[in-house]
Amino acid sequence: MNVRTPDPYPGWLSDEDLYEARQRLPMVYVETIPVRVDALGYVTEVGLLLQATPDGEIVRSFVSGR
């Protein structure tokens, strides 16, 4: 099942246009791990996303996108 939320900002590429753009242009994808540090710069908390798999399992993942 593929569920997408309605896009409140029209103007984004359609799936077909995005596919075409990926074939022609380099696109940067990033993965990042947000952290919270204390006054001395030591990491005190790490932020990860919780995500459900198709099997119903909950896994942690990095913040990522293009």
Side-chain angles (χ1 to χ4, degrees):
M1 180 169 84
N2 187 5
V3 178
R4 296 183 66 161
T5 57
D7 189 352
Y9 305 106
W12 288 100
L13 297 175
S14 68
D15 290 341
E16 295 81 21
D17 290 340
L18 181 58
Y19 176 80
E20 289 273 330
R22 285 180 175 153
Q23 301 307 310
R24 298 174 185 216
L25 303 168
M27 289 196 179
V28 176
Y29 287 80
V30 298
E31 288 187 342
T32 179
I33 302 175
V35 296
R36 184 170 285 161
V37 296
D38 64 12
L40 298 175
Y42 291 103
V43 174
T44 59
E45 296 179 54
V46 177
L48 296 175
L49 300 176
L50 294 179
Q51 180 178 7
T53 66
D55 299 334
E57 183 181 4
I58 300 296
V59 296
R60 290 175 176 84
S61 64
F62 300 123
V63 178
S64 63
R66 60 181 181 273

